[in-house]
Amino acid sequence: MKRRNLALCPEARAEASARIFAQVEAMPAFAAARTVALFVSLDDEPDTREALERWRATRRVVVPRVEGETMRFFRYDPATMRSGAFGIPEPGPEAEPCDPAAIDLVAVPGTAFTASGARCGRGRGYYDRYLAQPGMRAVRIGICYRHQVVEALPVEAHDVRMDAVVRG
């Protein structure tokens, strides 16, 4: 999947990303959300840059920071972003933390998804551990390119299902 994602030309990636985030914005769960968790995209993921800027104008947007084996979310502020785990920009130490119970909608990246919400991540379990926390009530939206939706995936007991999968 990573190779297929990276093979997308910049124009195709931009068009797919725009379609994906427009679909999310059209969802009732997004309309009702006051706090939205969104990932900062890697080169092989749908591009979140425009959505981050657009959404933070109307909502509290939080993004992840990896701390050892734990992932936590912090208010997105471009001024606090720095290079973090795996070379992904993440909030610096001065960023405002977000309680998991305060998140209304979380956009979740993945390597592959099924239409019914099964997700294959990158293998480290950060999102599964985060989404399984007590008090976490956010609507979980899988975010991917069309070709990342497959018929079936192996699912383990700790894998957290998505409430919906949006593909572009």
Side-chain angles (χ1 to χ4, degrees):
M1 287 297 177
K2 184 174 182 175
R3 259 184 308 210
R4 288 184 72 184
N5 295 354
L6 290 171
L8 291 171
C9 70
E11 296 80 16
R13 181 177 186 228
E15 290 170 12
S17 299
R19 278 193 307 272
I20 289 165
F21 295 110
Q23 289 176 61
V24 173
E25 291 166 3
M27 298 175 83
F30 182 83
R34 291 192 304 193
T35 299
V36 177
L38 182 58
F39 58 98
V40 177
S41 53
L42 293 168
D43 289 344
D44 65 329
E45 295 172 330
D47 191 346
T48 59
R49 288 176 296 185
E50 287 184 16
L52 283 165
E53 291 307 313
R54 192 167 56 248
W55 294 0
R56 80 184 191 107
T58 60
R59 287 164 177 71
R60 178 181 182 212
V61 175
V62 295
V63 294
R65 180 169 78 201
V66 171
E67 301 168 339
E69 293 301 310
T70 304
M71 181 175 72
R72 294 178 34 198
F73 281 80
F74 295 81
R75 185 177 201 113
Y76 174 68
D77 177 353
T80 71
M81 300 298 282
R82 62 171 171 74
S83 183
F86 314 107
I88 303 168
E90 55 185 36
E94 69 279 16
E96 174 192 323
C98 181
D99 185 310
I103 299 172
D104 301 307
L105 182 143
V106 59
V108 182
T111 301
F113 295 88
T114 65
S116 64
R119 173 183 170 270
C120 175
R122 292 187 178 259
R124 295 201 176 221
Y126 289 110
Y127 274 93
D128 288 319
R129 286 191 299 277
Y130 189 85
L131 296 172
Q133 291 181 86
M136 184 65 181
R137 58 171 184 74
V139 175
R140 300 171 306 265
I141 309 296
I143 302 294
C144 64
Y145 298 115
R146 290 187 194 280
H147 64 262
Q148 290 178 271
V149 176
V150 298
E151 288 295 316
L153 287 170
V155 177
E156 297 179 23
H158 66 271
D159 292 333
V160 176
R161 293 185 86 77
M162 300 295 102
D163 297 308
V165 176
V166 176
R167 53 192 171 249

